[in-house]
Amino acid sequence: MSSALAHETPVRDSVLSLTGVTKRFGAVQALTDVHLDVAPGEVVALVGDNGAGKSTLVKIICGVYQPDQGQISLDGAQVSVGGPRQAQHLGIATVFQDLALCDNLDVVANLFLGQEHHRSYLLNEIQMETEAWRLLRSLSAKIPSVRIPIAGLSGGQRQTVAIARSLVGKPKVVLLDEPTAALGVAQTAEVLNLVERLREQGLGVILVSHNMADVQAVADRICVLRLGRNAAEFRVEDATTEQLVAAITGASDNVVSARMSRKDGDGNV
Amino acid sequence: MSETPTTEAPAEQSGPALADLQDERLINQQSFSAVASQFVHRLRGGELGSLPVIIGLIIICTVFYAIEPRFLSSFNLVSIARFAAPTGIISLGIVLVLLLGEIDLSVGSLSGFASAVMAVVVVDNGQPVLVGMAAGIAVGATIGLFFGLLRTRIGVPSFVFSLAGLLAFQGALFYVLGDKGTITIPASSSLVQFAKFGYVPAGLSYLLVLLIAAAYLGAELLNRSRRAKAGLANSWLPLPLVKAGLLAGGLVFLTYYLNVDRGWPNVWALFTVLVVVTDLVLRKTRWGRHVFAVGGNEEAARRSGIKVDRTYVTVFVLCSSLAALGGLMAAGVLGSVSQNSGTTGLELTAIAAAVIGGASLFGGRGTAYAAMLGIIVLQSIDSGLNQINVDSSVRFMTTGAVLLLAVMIDSVSRKARTSSGRG
């Protein structure tokens, strides 16, 4: 099944494509020749151990860092992402791990922060509120009121607001940095539903996560980074947790490879 | 309409539900009971708003009235308004700075410096008053710009550079005044005529007061019809009507009471205009939204593309300009500028007023009306203690105690907000 799929779409038209991305900080080679592709309506999980270069790659995609070498293409056209604002304009939306919400402002204000609807100099609150409900409904999100301060919402609801905010600029790619890290079981499930809904809307989704269960639950492809290089890439149907762990840690003496080598040994005899 | 205890079920049954009430868990405000329970819920959650300061003001008035009935006389209230307004204007600038979570300790001596510049330009150099005032405000704006750049480009904490400013501008005040010590502004000058002897004519004041209430009601009703057109729920209809009625009634009564004496002082009218305009700008414009965002979470504001540095610079420019304007008005009310202008703890009074009025010292919370409410409280205490011939030592201690009480209420309500998840 998985191989058939791969044959059908050998090179899917990717909405975001990174090739040969290299980044160096002083003596540290953070990323070496990294490539990453995301197709519309595809969830690509980016996994890796601490220090694997996930954060650096995320920051390059959302324009915080500039790559030393390599290309970023959006819809086939080569682009340079000069900063977070430009990334937004290009259609790359990022949901940061700390969500970057203002606790003292209400949901509507947070959703449209920095891109408020306005008529001449005045804020157009009604248009923003209507749009806020439309966005939240498109995510089937449950928020008690869009006019209460963010501080009054639960962790999952905040995450929902942050994800809904990423949709305000009509993006092509949504980058989610550890969206489930601080959430409980039910809330995690809700956020995973949101990720699936982003996929249904035809967006390319890059999901950075430590949690193998989450990754395997929603991702279509899993891209493993190790020590700043592409270590492995799996279709989610093909990947077992053991294989993923092996690719992430780079340890060859784990359970999976031990079993493999035992089998090989048996076959030779 | 008010008989409907809960409006959850009807939304489902009666045709297409309003966009924001499609979930039974959604908070609605469509009936009296819903509005009332929402209000109680907010208080429990630590969203006290202006309630403590209004209660405080009622207590202050009752106590002083019991001791000395003259406290609530028309004459005294007019005096309170006239002397409160200049400091109130300074305090309005402080509210803006506090919203960003910053502080400006230099507003007092800056106001003195700006008024000295104005006095020298007008009295010593014989320029028109407007030129002198423009010079004074330009001094304030320039200093604000300098402060803003210090904060954003070099990263000096505002506490430090404004403390430096406090000392430096006091020196500048002495320098500008030279060895004269005091400059008297002639009573014929338009500034003194406006600030010291100027009152809003009775007829005009009634007209203005009614216009304010009508504008409030009109804006509310327009907003309701727009919301209804966009398919959004509105709050209980009588609420804006009742509010507008109370506003009109209260203002007309106050206007009548003040007109028994001299009427609304011009400086107070100016202060009110500034407060209302600042409030509208804070709530209705992108700039205002960005001020709250930067005060709430600077990093989030920066990442969402808000020009954080520009917000800081504009706020410091506004604060210093308002401080300069406050200084000019104080000079007008007193009719002179001296070495004492703006140096007798004025910045602390202005900051205390903002905090007592409900602006949080931690940024992101407060309204323009905080300056107005706070300065009324402080000026009332000052005036009341003065009337019952209490020594100035006691006045300082009382003011200190009130400020402490205000900050304690702020801290307690912060705790309540945190524990009820309102941050």
Side-chain angles (χ1 to χ4, degrees):
Chain A
M1 158 71 200
S2 61
S3 60
L5 197 82
H7 279 297
E8 269 170 25
T9 52
V11 185
R12 291 167 75 178
D13 292 326
S14 53
V15 58
L16 177 75
S17 158
L18 281 78
T19 44
V21 169
T22 300
K23 180 73 185 173
R24 179 192 281 276
F25 296 106
V28 181
Q29 187 79 32
L31 293 176
T32 313
D33 194 24
V34 171
H35 58 85
L36 182 74
D37 289 281
V38 193
E42 185 187 35
V43 179
V44 175
L46 191 60
V47 298
D49 219 341
N50 293 337
K54 295 188 308 273
S55 308
T56 311
L57 192 59
V58 165
K59 283 178 179 159
I60 284 176
I61 295 172
C62 70
V64 175
Y65 295 153
Q66 306 304 313
D68 295 337
Q69 285 168 27
Q71 277 105 45
I72 303 176
S73 319
L74 204 64
D75 279 339
Q78 196 175 324
V79 294
S80 73
V81 188
R85 190 149 183 79
Q86 206 191 338
Q88 263 177 20
H89 269 286
L90 289 168
I92 303 170
T94 311
V95 179
F96 294 98
Q97 187 172 358
D98 62 0
L99 303 185
L101 298 170
C102 291
D103 276 355
N104 57 333
L105 295 180
D106 65 23
V107 176
V108 174
N110 268 289
L111 283 177
F112 295 91
L113 201 60
Q115 35 195 339
E116 295 89 356
H117 295 198
H118 54 100
R119 276 190 312 208
S120 60
Y121 285 100
L122 296 183
L123 294 172
N124 193 342
E125 294 281 2
I126 294 172
Q127 193 185 345
M128 285 197 281
E129 197 169 324
T130 318
E131 180 71 6
W133 284 114
R134 197 191 62 72
L135 278 173
L136 291 172
R137 263 206 309 279
S138 78
L139 296 171
S140 303
K142 308 276 186 199
I143 301 282
S145 163
V146 290
R147 287 296 177 194
I148 58 171
I150 285 290
L153 301 181
S154 72
Q157 288 170 336
R158 286 153 170 258
Q159 189 75 51
T160 306
V161 173
I163 291 175
R165 179 166 75 175
S166 72
L167 299 179
V168 167
K170 303 230 160 50
K172 298 168 185 147
V173 182
V174 177
L175 192 60
L176 300 165
D177 191 3
E178 296 277 3
T180 57
L183 299 182
V185 178
Q187 296 181 334
T188 299
E190 253 176 59
V191 169
L192 296 182
N193 286 344
L194 292 185
V195 173
E196 281 173 350
R197 236 156 264 133
L198 295 180
R199 172 167 56 197
E200 285 159 17
Q201 293 179 17
L203 297 168
V205 181
I206 301 174
L207 174 73
V208 179
S209 184
H210 266 117
N211 189 324
M212 289 309 125
D214 295 352
V215 165
Q216 287 174 318
V218 290
D220 300 308
R221 266 190 308 129
I222 302 171
C223 186
V224 183
L225 282 186
R226 193 166 70 81
L227 302 178
R229 292 167 191 276
N230 285 98
E233 197 172 317
F234 300 98
R235 298 216 138 265
V236 76
E237 308 87 20
D238 306 341
T240 62
T241 309
E242 288 78 8
Q243 280 173 310
L244 278 173
V245 171
I248 290 169
T249 58
S252 52
D253 59 344
N254 62 47
V255 191
V256 183
S257 39
R259 279 179 61 90
M260 296 285 263
S261 59
R262 230 181 10 249
K263 270 188 183 167
D264 283 356
D266 290 346
N268 283 345
V269 170
Chain B
M1 178 156 194
S2 60
E3 306 305 315
T4 324
T6 49
T7 50
E8 290 145 1
E12 287 291 323
Q13 295 155 4
S14 60
L18 292 165
D20 44 354
L21 290 177
Q22 294 186 348
D23 186 325
E24 72 283 1
R25 291 182 300 177
L26 297 179
I27 296 167
N28 76 73
Q29 281 206 313
Q30 289 185 304
S31 65
F32 174 73
S33 58
V35 170
S37 76
Q38 184 71 7
F39 180 69
V40 173
H41 190 74
R42 253 196 224 155
L43 288 187
R44 287 232 181 98
E47 300 264 337
L48 300 180
S50 307
L51 197 64
V53 61
I54 289 170
I55 292 175
L57 200 55
I58 292 172
I59 295 174
I60 290 166
C61 290
T62 319
V63 169
F64 282 127
Y65 180 72
I67 303 173
E68 173 58 73
R70 262 189 310 156
F71 175 75
L72 282 184
S73 65
S74 298
F75 176 83
N76 196 42
L77 293 189
V78 170
S79 302
I80 288 178
R82 195 156 63 92
F83 285 106
T87 319
I89 293 172
I90 299 173
S91 184
L92 184 59
I94 290 292
V95 169
L96 292 175
V97 181
L98 286 182
L99 281 178
L100 286 183
E102 302 283 321
I103 192 82
D104 189 342
L105 298 171
S106 72
V107 285
S109 49
L110 170 60
S111 75
F113 175 40
S115 61
V117 168
M118 182 272 301
V120 167
V121 169
V122 173
V123 178
D124 292 5
N125 295 335
Q127 297 292 327
V129 168
L130 279 181
V131 174
M133 290 181 65
I137 292 173
V139 165
T142 313
I143 288 167
L145 181 65
F146 178 61
F147 277 176
L149 294 177
L150 271 180
R151 172 66 181 76
T152 54
R153 295 293 148 91
I154 307 183
V156 185
S158 57
F159 183 85
V160 178
F161 64 65
S162 63
L163 187 60
L166 187 153
L167 298 170
F169 304 146
Q170 204 162 337
L173 168 68
F174 293 170
Y175 180 81
V176 170
L177 286 178
D179 44 13
K180 289 187 289 287
T182 304
I183 298 180
T184 307
I185 304 167
S188 59
S189 89
S190 52
L191 176 63
V192 177
Q193 284 297 325
F194 173 85
K196 192 171 183 178
F197 304 117
Y199 295 90
V200 183
L204 183 62
S205 62
Y206 284 115
L207 186 65
L208 287 177
V209 157
L210 289 175
L211 272 180
I212 291 172
Y216 171 78
L217 186 62
E220 283 289 320
L221 292 180
L222 185 66
N223 189 38
R224 287 180 69 89
S225 79
R226 284 211 185 119
R227 284 182 68 92
K229 211 178 277 175
L232 295 169
N234 271 310
S235 59
W236 187 50
L237 176 65
L239 194 64
L241 297 178
V242 169
K243 277 185 181 168
L246 284 177
L247 186 68
L251 285 177
V252 165
F253 174 73
L254 261 182
T255 308
Y256 162 76
Y257 197 66
L258 293 187
N259 275 325
V260 169
D261 193 59
R262 290 155 287 176
W264 291 101
N266 276 344
V267 271
W268 184 264
L270 172 69
F271 175 45
T272 309
V273 169
L274 289 172
V275 167
V276 171
V277 168
T278 308
D279 177 61
L280 290 176
V281 167
L282 280 176
R283 286 191 299 119
K284 304 283 184 193
T285 67
R286 301 185 74 193
W287 179 82
R289 177 66 46 87
H290 294 172
V291 168
F292 280 99
V294 173
N297 187 342
E298 185 184 335
E299 189 53 36
R302 182 169 285 126
R303 283 195 214 153
S304 58
I306 291 172
K307 296 192 174 75
V308 174
D309 286 359
R310 193 193 281 178
T311 310
Y312 272 113
V313 172
T314 47
V315 163
F316 276 112
V317 168
L318 274 176
C319 175
S320 296
S321 304
L322 285 168
L325 181 61
L328 299 181
M329 288 305 138
V333 167
L334 296 172
S336 67
V337 177
S338 74
Q339 293 193 336
N340 284 331
S341 291
T343 56
T344 48
L346 188 59
E347 62 283 326
L348 298 181
T349 311
I351 294 169
V355 174
I356 289 172
S360 173
L361 283 166
F362 308 97
R365 274 176 188 281
T367 71
Y369 291 102
M372 186 178 263
L373 288 168
I375 201 65
I376 292 176
V377 167
L378 286 181
Q379 191 67 39
S380 300
I381 293 173
D382 199 57
S383 162
L385 292 175
N386 218 349
Q387 293 236 324
I388 56 179
N389 286 323
V390 172
D391 195 62
S392 65
S393 57
V394 181
R395 288 207 307 238
F396 279 120
M397 287 189 272
T398 318
T399 310
V402 170
L403 176 61
L404 184 64
L405 189 68
V407 177
M408 277 161 62
I409 291 174
D410 184 32
S411 302
V412 170
S413 65
R414 244 169 88 85
K415 259 188 198 166
R417 282 201 300 271
T418 319
S419 63
S420 72
R422 283 165 181 262

